[in-house]
Structures are given as structure tokens and as C-alpha cells.
Amino acid sequence: MDGDISRPAKRPRSDSGADESQLPARDSAFYHESGDCIIRVENTLFKIHRFLLVPASAVFSTLFTLPQGDLAVEGMSDDAPICLSDDTAADFRCLLKYIYTPAYGMLPKDIPPTELHNIMSVARLMHKYEMAGWQTWASQVTMELVTTHGPLFSSQDFVAIYEMAHMFSHEQLSKKVTNVWWRRIRDGSLPISDALNAAEANNRRAFLTSLYDYELGKVLGTPVTPFQPTQLFIPGVKAIHLQRLYAGYCSLSLAWTQFRQNIIPLPTAPGCRPRQHDLICNRKFKTAWDRAIAFAEQIPLNKPRERIVRVHRALEAAIEGDEYPVHHPVAVLHPQQTICRYVHSNEPTNPFVKLLNDLSKTLEGHFFAADAPAPVNHE
């Protein structure tokens, strides 16, 4: 749970916040004559059965047993109902609809996509009243709906599901909705702005980084010269997102410039004499390095790992293609040919493997480099 939940207390109806100038009306669907508890939400009276709410909610269990003091016994009559504040009659009615539905009618696979909005509406009540079992059910249903009917949902639907997943602290649902939402953005059926703002509101840097990477790739994937910050303009998003995109571009550009200028030395093979290595091998290697860099730069700047891998593979291919002189070892007992090259790609001593493993900045680090550091608490 996120934070402490203030449990609703019983109180006189004058504190309910409802319009006292109107008499409350009995709900047409959930005022059961056989019920044993009357609850007022806004200006509507619900008569329900305690045994359905008590095991489902720790808060309701406590609410029904609070001492009354000098007040009339609440919940026993229309004149003295239990009043729930900050809730809507429509949401409470929807919650009761689920509670009163037989278990066989509540299987996640049988819930139609039209129920998504109702589930989102009562999610706050499930969280507020600590209805753990119902939160699990709502999460399972939503997982099923997103998996099966994700192409039908709007940006607003995904925002609501995303918010519910974080309210319930349900990482599996959060991951599922993120993946489906992300695919909808990439195929162009949904805008990126709502996803950016939702991820920012929930401080989800991994999701934000994926979105920034995609948006920057759209610009960098086209032959635009020179690059201009205005090319990163996205309608409907906060300025902080544009700031991070531009910061990411600048940081990635600097990192790549440093990499391309600092040539990784070519190891000397056994049998290659130092003078020959300097005058021939390194000269040819420099030419191959420049070609490999040009080849890697066909990949957008926001893919630094892929660029480095391409440089490595291009250099290996150049060496295997006999662009370098073949050296015979001095020892006659070892007549096999040797060439100056990097060790096998999978070896941890390979400088490219080490470089990839030791990248000091992930994409997240590039995009969030411009964010102000969190204040230091000296208490």
C-alpha cells in the first residue's frame, strides 16, 4: 500500500457532506429489505448485508464495530445510516454490483471489455477500504482485458489502468500495460504525450527512457542537418520532457565523439615485430576503424550499444578479410600463420566486451543528466 490510509469514522449525518436540503433516496438496485446495514453515500441509501463486506474489507470490518458513544446506532435505519464521505453513489453501486455477483460470473476471462471503465471507477474504493481480495481480482481482470483487448483501448484507458497498477503496487500489471501501451504508440495508433505524462506522474524512469529513446530515434533516424531542438517539439507534453530529450541528444553526441576519437589499440599478435606493427598494422587498422565508425553511424545516435557492437563486428570482418598483413611467427616450430586481431568476441578480455560491460552511462543516465539532484537531507 502507498502510505497510510485514513479509516472513515462513523459520524452524524450532518458531517457527510451530502445536500441536507433533500431527503436521501433509497437505491433502486441495492436496497435489500433483508439487509442488516444501511449506508448513505452522497444522497443515496444502500441497504446491504454486512457479511459480504466484513470479510472483504478490513476497514468495513472496523467501521461496523466502532463504538457509538452517545450517537444513535448508525446503520440501523434510514434516519441514522452509516455515512461514507468522499465517495460517489455511482462508484459504490458499481462496487456492490461486483460483490453481489455469484463467483461463477466473476471469472476474469468472462469479463467483457465494456466493464473496464467500471473496474477503474471502483479501484479507488478497493484501495481505500483495503479490499485486498478485490484488488487482486481487479488486477487479474485488467491483465486479461489488456492482453486480449489492448488494441481497443484509448490513451485515457491506458492512463487509468497504469494509475490503478501503481495504486495497487502491482508490478506485473504495470509491466503488462506498459508493454501493450508501448506497442500502440510505436504502431502510431496512440499519441506519446499521455504516456509521457503518466510515467512522469508516477516517476517511472524506465518507461520514460523507452519513450524518450523512441521519440529521439524518430528525429535521428532521418537525415536532418543540422540538428535543431525545435525538431523535438511534441504537442501536449510538459517542457521537462523536451528538456530531457535535448539533454539526451547532447550527452549521447559527446559520448560518441569521445569514443570515435579514442581508437581502441590493436593488440600485437605473436610474431609481429613492433616496428612492423606500428608502420603497417596500425596504419591499416586506422583505415578500418574509420570505415567501421562510418558504418556504425548508420545506426541512430540513441543506440550507442548497437553502434559499438557494429564497430567491433566491422573490424573483425576487416581482419578476417585479409586487409592486414599476415605475419609468420619467428619460431620455426610454429609455422601456422598469425594476424594482429582482437581475441574472440565472447572473451571478457576483449576490449569491446569490456567497454560494453562498463558503459558508464545507460540511456537513462543520458536523458536524466540535466535533472536537478534531489535535496540532501542532513537530519
Side-chain angles (χ1 to χ4, degrees):
M1 292 294 175
D2 296 330
D4 296 330
I5 299 176
S6 299
R7 297 175 181 269
K10 292 184 177 182
R11 68 199 71 160
R13 284 181 294 134
S14 60
D15 292 338
S16 67
D19 184 358
E20 299 296 336
S21 65
Q22 299 179 10
L23 292 176
R26 295 178 175 182
D27 189 73
S28 60
F30 294 102
Y31 192 95
H32 300 283
E33 291 301 331
S34 61
D36 56 6
C37 181
I38 298 173
I39 297 176
R40 177 175 175 175
V41 185
E42 293 185 315
N43 214 36
T44 302
L45 297 174
F46 300 87
K47 190 173 185 180
I48 53 92
H49 301 86
R50 293 174 189 248
F51 76 89
L52 291 174
L53 283 177
V54 169
S57 165
V59 176
F60 277 120
S61 177
T62 302
L63 185 64
F64 290 149
T65 58
L66 286 176
Q68 305 299 326
D70 297 331
L71 299 175
V73 178
E74 292 182 349
M76 301 305 295
S77 69
D78 287 3
D79 293 330
I82 294 175
C83 297
L84 302 182
S85 62
D86 303 322
D87 301 329
T88 68
D91 286 353
F92 194 71
R93 185 181 302 113
C94 188
L95 179 64
L96 293 177
K97 181 188 75 170
Y98 294 133
I99 290 176
Y100 274 92
T101 298
Y104 59 80
M106 301 291 287
L107 296 176
K109 66 181 181 62
D110 296 330
I111 305 298
T114 52
E115 280 296 296
L116 177 67
H117 291 172
N118 289 333
I119 294 172
M120 297 299 103
S121 295
V122 300
R124 187 186 66 85
L125 297 185
M126 295 174 180
H127 180 72
K128 175 181 178 181
Y129 295 113
E130 297 182 10
M131 306 176 77
W134 283 101
Q135 290 185 48
T136 299
W137 173 82
S139 298
Q140 291 172 344
V141 170
T142 308
M143 284 274 290
E144 181 71 25
L145 292 177
V146 170
T147 301
T148 308
H149 304 287
L152 301 177
F153 296 149
S154 66
S155 284
Q156 290 69 33
D157 294 333
F158 281 109
V159 169
I161 298 169
Y162 194 66
E163 295 289 346
M164 187 190 83
H166 289 284
M167 181 170 59
F168 288 176
S169 299
H170 199 294
E171 286 301 319
Q172 186 179 5
L173 177 57
S174 177
K175 183 177 180 180
K176 168 61 70 173
V177 67
T178 296
N179 290 340
V180 176
W181 197 359
W182 173 229
R183 289 198 297 268
R184 294 286 307 279
I185 292 170
R186 285 189 300 176
D187 69 21
S189 60
L190 289 179
I192 198 173
S193 55
D194 291 322
L196 284 169
N197 294 331
E200 175 70 12
N202 290 279
N203 193 30
R204 305 300 284 195
R205 285 196 168 190
F207 191 24
L208 283 168
T209 298
S210 296
L211 296 169
Y212 295 150
D213 181 31
Y214 168 73
E215 194 62 30
L216 186 59
K218 289 196 325 185
V219 176
L220 299 178
T222 58
V224 179
T225 304
F227 176 83
Q228 297 292 335
T230 54
Q231 293 161 348
L232 294 175
F233 174 74
I234 311 171
V237 304
K238 299 177 181 177
I240 186 63
H241 301 305
L242 303 180
Q243 175 183 326
R244 290 180 187 144
L245 277 165
Y246 188 58
Y249 167 77
C250 294
S251 181
L252 286 165
S253 297
L254 177 61
W256 180 252
T257 298
Q258 292 173 339
F259 170 78
R260 74 195 310 273
Q261 291 177 348
N262 296 308
I263 302 177
I264 297 177
L266 177 69
T268 305
C272 182
R273 298 173 182 175
R275 180 175 176 78
Q276 187 173 358
H277 186 77
D278 291 338
L279 295 179
I280 301 178
C281 299
N282 283 337
R283 179 174 56 82
K284 287 181 172 290
F285 180 71
K286 174 62 168 62
T287 300
W289 174 273
D290 292 339
R291 292 175 182 173
I293 289 292
F295 182 52
E297 288 177 344
Q298 296 175 10
I299 297 176
L301 177 64
N302 60 314
K303 307 294 182 186
R305 183 173 295 273
E306 290 85 341
R307 280 189 167 192
I308 293 173
V309 169
R310 178 170 280 201
V311 170
H312 182 203
R313 291 175 178 172
L315 291 174
E316 288 285 287
I319 293 173
E320 295 292 347
D322 294 331
E323 288 192 20
Y324 303 101
V326 177
H327 305 301
H328 295 276
V330 176
V332 179
L333 295 177
H334 300 281
Q336 73 270 21
Q337 294 178 332
T338 61
I339 57 176
C340 298
R341 56 171 296 173
Y342 294 106
V343 294
H344 192 271
S345 300
N346 295 328
E347 294 293 333
T349 53
N350 185 304
F352 283 96
V353 173
K354 188 176 186 304
L355 178 64
L356 292 172
N357 291 336
D358 296 342
L359 281 178
S360 60
K361 286 188 175 181
T362 61
L363 273 180
E364 179 177 309
H366 288 289
F367 288 116
F368 288 89
D371 281 18
V376 177
N377 187 353
H378 297 287
E379 294 182 2

